[in-house]
Amino acid sequence: MDLQLCTTDNTPEPFNQEDVTLENVNLETAQPPHIQHQVLQVLSGLLKQPAHQIDLDLPITAYGIDSVDAFTAIVDIEEAVGIELPDSIFWDYPTVNSATSYIASLVGGDR
């Protein structure tokens, strides 16, 4: 399966999964694209929709995700990036881009 990473302008780019895995990402220096990939993979599985079709600037609730689905996604993202996230992340940071930036700030120690 060919994975694609969506850029900030939603242009799909080829993405080699072997380049970015949890095993070889240094979470101390991880940049948002790595985190964005993890967030998109979790949401893609939950929505049963290819990651490149998820709009990075559309609130995830627009896809019909309810609070139970959001909590499931949060737990999966926590496991993927190795940090604890607030239960309200998708309400405080409703888009993939805003949630990714917030998670990156936590991983980077900015908060």
Side-chain angles (χ1 to χ4, degrees), residues 3-100:
L3 295 176
Q4 293 183 335
L5 177 68
C6 291
T7 61
T8 54
D9 66 353
N10 288 333
T11 305
E13 291 183 356
F15 187 81
N16 184 349
Q17 187 174 10
E18 293 177 9
D19 290 341
V20 180
T21 64
L22 191 56
E23 292 79 32
N24 66 10
V25 171
N26 179 344
L27 294 178
E28 293 297 313
T29 60
Q31 296 299 310
H34 304 323
I35 296 168
Q36 183 183 75
H37 170 74
Q38 298 294 336
V39 171
L40 283 171
Q41 291 309 302
V42 167
L43 292 176
S44 175
L46 184 66
L47 297 170
K48 296 179 180 20
Q49 181 173 339
H52 71 273
Q53 291 181 355
I54 297 173
D55 187 326
L56 303 178
D57 294 310
L58 185 68
I60 65 156
T61 55
Y63 291 98
I65 290 178
D66 61 18
S67 59
V68 173
D69 292 334
F71 183 74
T72 300
I74 292 165
V75 169
D76 292 345
I77 293 166
E78 286 175 334
E79 290 175 7
V81 298
I83 61 170
E84 188 172 329
L85 299 171
D87 293 342
S88 62
I89 186 171
F90 289 125
W91 280 261
D92 298 336
Y93 304 93
T95 68
V96 171
N97 274 336
S98 62
T100 297

Side-chain angles (χ1 to χ4, degrees), residues 99-111:
T100 297
S101 293
Y102 174 71
I103 294 167
S105 75
L106 294 176
V107 170
D110 292 342
R111 290 192 179 227

